[in-house]
Amino acid sequence: MQMRKKIIAGNWKMNLSLSEGEKLADVIMAEMPATTAEVIIAPSFIHLANVSAKVRGTSIKIAAQNCSQHNAGAYTGEVSAEMIKSSGAYYVIIGHSERRVYFKESNELLLQKINKAIEYKLKVIYCIGENLAQREAGNHFDIVHEQLKAVLFNLSAQATVDTIIAYEPVWAIGTGKTATPEQAQEMHAYIRDTIKTHYNADVANAVRILYGGSCNEQNAASILTLPDVDGGLIGGASLKAESFISIIKAAN
Ligand code: 13P
């Protein structure tokens, strides 16, 4: 079984002014512990170029939080994969539950976005996860299965290996109510097993699956050390250098 390199990604969502974001990047760089984990930060579109310039030459990589499914053209307010790439970002988060819920992004649209990101050589962080009603009804495996089948399983085996999956139960996002280690491990193992069934064991063993949802410095170690958890997608706790750094340390 191969060793998967862990990833700690901070999703800043719609937070921080330009100067606050630059300052946070400065402090993260200054206090970065020795780590084998890949560290990613995802500022807003409008700050991508500045924050990318800040971290250039370090091991920190930049992600966008979304991208358009279109190449270019008359799509007022949209941001293309090419623009993101040219701003110095390396990754793009696609399918975050906030995009699915508030902006009605369907699995079909997300597949188009992922294909566009891949075309422009951005690496994708694809988010999946069930909401509270789905969990309580016992449908969480079916929901996650559909999010994999309708989107990820249209990609080649290599493209899937290159994609980072983020399992973020919607009921755990921003609620302070994190999945228990048992719930996280159970779902991550299910995702890996579903990938193995669709592709093969090599793809399943190579793909990185992150956990997201109220991950913080207190609970990070108990989640990040689970066998099928390859890192974290961190929201609120990534907005403070101290907690983000603690989580990076917990991934070692
Ligand atoms: P919180 O860590 O704030 O719960 O957010 C998780 C998330 O949505 C990361 O994408």
Side-chain angles (χ1 to χ4, degrees):
M1 188 126 121
Q2 68 196 96
M3 281 290 290
R4 293 180 296 269
K5 197 170 179 193
K6 285 215 164 48
I7 297 175
I8 300 297
N11 177 6
W12 291 359
K13 306 193 179 183
M14 198 175 75
N15 292 296
L16 308 175
S17 67
L18 176 57
S19 62
E20 287 167 344
E22 288 183 325
K23 195 164 160 224
L24 179 55
D26 276 337
V27 182
I28 293 169
M29 286 188 292
E31 294 180 8
M32 180 64 71
T35 180
T36 52
E38 269 179 57
V39 176
I40 301 171
I41 50 182
S44 84
F45 283 138
I46 196 167
H47 301 154
L48 281 178
N50 294 65
V51 181
S52 291
K54 281 245 163 233
V55 303
R56 193 164 298 141
T58 75
S59 58
I60 300 171
K61 294 263 192 306
I62 299 296
Q65 300 173 16
N66 177 28
C67 82
S68 171
Q69 71 275 31
H70 301 292
N71 277 324
Y75 300 103
T76 302
E78 287 290 274
V79 176
S80 71
E82 186 178 24
M83 292 168 181
I84 293 167
K85 185 78 183 172
S86 70
S87 296
Y90 192 82
Y91 292 97
V92 58
I93 298 170
I94 293 182
H96 193 282
S97 66
E98 287 146 20
R99 301 294 318 170
R100 292 179 187 262
V101 174
Y102 304 141
F103 303 97
K104 308 277 178 280
E105 295 193 357
S106 63
N107 282 332
E108 191 186 11
L109 176 70
L110 298 175
L111 176 59
Q112 291 173 25
K113 290 186 175 209
I114 289 179
N115 280 323
K116 198 50 70 184
I118 292 172
E119 190 181 324
Y120 285 93
K121 312 232 170 329
L122 286 165
K123 290 217 188 293
V124 172
I125 301 172
Y126 174 55
C127 302
I128 57 177
E130 81 286 356
N131 65 27
L132 185 60
Q134 291 160 341
R135 163 74 57 172
E136 285 178 344
N139 293 334
H140 42 297
F141 293 116
D142 290 347
I143 294 294
V144 163
H145 192 280
E146 181 58 24
Q147 291 168 334
L148 292 171
K149 180 166 168 261
V151 182
L152 201 72
F153 292 170
N154 291 287
L155 305 181
S156 68
Q158 187 56 50
T160 290
V161 169
D162 290 341
T163 298
I164 297 159
I165 297 167
Y167 169 61
E168 300 204 296
V170 180
W171 47 271
I173 296 178
T175 57
K177 189 171 179 250
T178 190
T180 63
E182 293 73 26
Q183 287 171 322
Q185 170 55 28
E186 179 185 45
M187 183 57 90
H188 281 236
Y190 174 77
I191 293 166
R192 203 175 299 286
D193 200 51
T194 304
I195 290 170
K196 182 176 164 191
T197 304
H198 183 78
Y199 296 100
N200 56 53
D202 288 345
V203 173
N205 287 334
V207 74
R208 268 107 40 103
I209 309 172
L210 313 185
Y211 170 81
S214 296
C215 196
N216 58 35
E217 60 219 284
Q218 279 83 40
N219 60 32
S222 67
I223 293 174
L224 298 175
T225 49
L226 296 167
D228 285 295
V229 175
D230 304 310
L233 182 53
I234 319 299
S238 74
L239 296 172
K240 291 215 164 56
E242 199 186 347
S243 44
F244 193 55
I245 295 286
S246 298
I247 295 169
I248 294 169
K249 287 183 183 156
N252 273 332

